[in-house]
Amino acid sequence: VPGGDLPGLHVLRGIGDCEKLAATLIAGSRLLVIGAGVIGMEVAATASALGVAVMVLDVSDQIMRRCLPAPVSQWLAAQHQRVGVELKSQVDVQSIAHDGTVYRVHVQNLDGVSEVLEVEQVLLAIGIDCDTGFLERAGITCRNGVVVDASCRSPDSPWCYAVGDIANCDNAFYGRSLRQETWRNAENQALAVARQIAGDAQPYGEIPWMWTDQLGHNIQVVGLIEEADGHVWRGDLAQDKATLVLLREGRVVAAVMVNQGKERKALEALIRERRVVDQALLGDLSVSLKAVAA
């Protein structure tokens, strides 16, 4: 958008960006976060705790939509609002200007209503795209990243491996390609490539896992939430401690844990087993998920 490349706008991609942003988070100042994904909401949590007035904008109708099912997203939004974070959903940024003192950010909602927001700092937390142009010119097949097989190797350029955010990798467990932007994926794909080069090739089949810490709460997600057609609650989210177990045809396909990280390994086992489980047992807090998995 016009003004999107103004000097002084923040991004958060490396430690240098982090240090620059941290130096501006002064109590009483105003921070506008454009993008309500993981990075945007983590910064909002940190900045609000430092006494910064925070507003978060997003084009979606819920925060962290790609990561969280609606009930957990709504709960997390309420936690942010409770500490004073202002959330504006389904808005587009039209332009950004700077007069030497403040940024003026022109936004518009779905109804075409416009307003201008004035803030001292702006963080662009809208995500990244894979930059594959130079790879394509080298003859490497790219589609939503670098296309690689279950060994993280390009099928038509076997000298090329790809790992991490840019790897659109055949996942042996799901039987299809996945491109994941998570810490564990980047680490374990690199290990898979090392084994491949060392002659111990094993297909990569990690179950997705991510986490975020915000406002004193730990949230973890395992599996693919978009595969679910039903769910079971373990615990009460109103008590800030619960697990949402997501099902498809009676089988556990994913889960979201709020302050319940100890349940992750059992849930990953249930996802891997792909067997129909007793939903009454899943929701019974007197029965451990480890026992259910066994």
Side-chain angles (χ1 to χ4, degrees):
V1 299
D5 57 354
L6 282 172
L9 295 176
H10 294 281
V11 295
L12 195 53
R13 297 174 186 163
I15 190 65
D17 298 328
C18 179
E19 291 168 346
K20 289 177 183 178
L21 177 62
T24 69
L25 299 181
I26 300 168
S29 64
R30 296 166 295 180
L31 170 68
L32 180 67
V33 178
I34 301 175
V38 178
I39 288 176
M41 298 315 300
E42 286 183 349
V43 170
T46 299
S48 63
L50 295 172
V52 177
V54 182
M55 178 184 291
V56 181
L57 309 179
D58 201 78
V59 295
S60 175
D61 59 352
Q62 67 183 61
I63 68 171
M64 290 179 58
R65 184 179 184 88
R66 188 173 63 167
C67 305
L68 299 179
V72 184
S73 173
Q74 291 161 4
W75 168 85
L76 183 59
Q79 307 306 305
H80 278 273
Q81 290 168 326
R82 191 168 296 140
V83 298
V85 175
E86 187 175 353
L87 304 175
K88 286 184 177 289
S89 61
Q90 296 181 292
V91 294
D92 278 321
V93 176
Q94 303 295 304
S95 65
I96 304 174
H98 192 256
D99 66 0
T101 304
V102 297
Y103 291 95
R104 290 188 170 88
V105 182
H106 176 204
V107 301
Q108 186 177 83
N109 66 16
L110 289 178
D111 297 324
V113 177
S114 298
E115 63 177 317
V116 176
L117 309 171
E118 294 190 353
V119 294
E120 283 77 27
Q121 304 295 332
V122 177
L123 170 67
L124 306 179
I126 58 175
I128 58 174
D129 287 326
C130 295
D131 185 4
T132 59
F134 74 104
L135 296 168
E136 293 167 19
R137 291 191 293 276
I140 296 170
T141 299
C142 297
R143 184 176 62 254
N144 185 28
V146 180
V147 175
V148 291
D149 62 20
S151 297
C152 302
R153 193 174 196 173
S154 173
D156 55 7
S157 303
W159 50 268
C160 173
Y161 295 87
V163 301
D165 294 12
I166 201 169
N168 190 1
C169 180
D170 272 348
N171 186 289
F173 177 74
Y174 289 102
R176 61 185 176 91
S177 294
L178 294 178
R179 188 176 73 81
Q180 303 178 53
E181 298 179 5
T182 62
W183 177 87
R184 181 167 74 171
N185 179 67
E187 180 186 44
N188 288 352
Q189 279 186 335
L191 293 174
V193 168
R195 285 194 295 265
Q196 167 86 3
I197 293 172
D200 181 25
Q202 299 178 28
Y204 182 79
E206 289 282 351
I207 293 172
W209 170 51
M210 62 80 63
W211 79 89
T212 180
D213 292 320
Q214 298 178 33
L215 304 172
H217 300 294
N218 173 256
I219 302 168
Q220 300 191 34
V221 183
V222 292
L224 300 176
I225 65 172
E226 65 269 20
E227 293 200 336
D229 61 12
H231 67 267
V232 172
W233 280 103
R234 284 179 61 83
D236 185 359
L237 198 54
Q239 303 301 317
D240 297 340
K241 189 175 183 180
T243 297
L244 179 62
V245 184
L246 297 163
L247 309 167
R248 185 174 185 84
E249 298 177 350
R251 296 172 172 83
V252 179
V253 293
V256 182
M257 295 150 277
V258 177
N259 300 317
Q260 289 283 63
K262 63 184 180 181
E263 296 190 331
R264 175 175 63 85
K265 289 187 178 180
L267 286 162
E268 286 180 328
L270 287 168
I271 293 170
R272 282 201 177 275
E273 289 174 10
R274 288 179 165 146
R275 61 180 170 86
V276 175
V277 294
D278 187 329
Q279 295 186 30
L281 288 179
L282 279 178
D284 188 345
L285 291 178
S286 69
V287 179
S288 72
L289 285 178
K290 185 176 180 180
V292 176

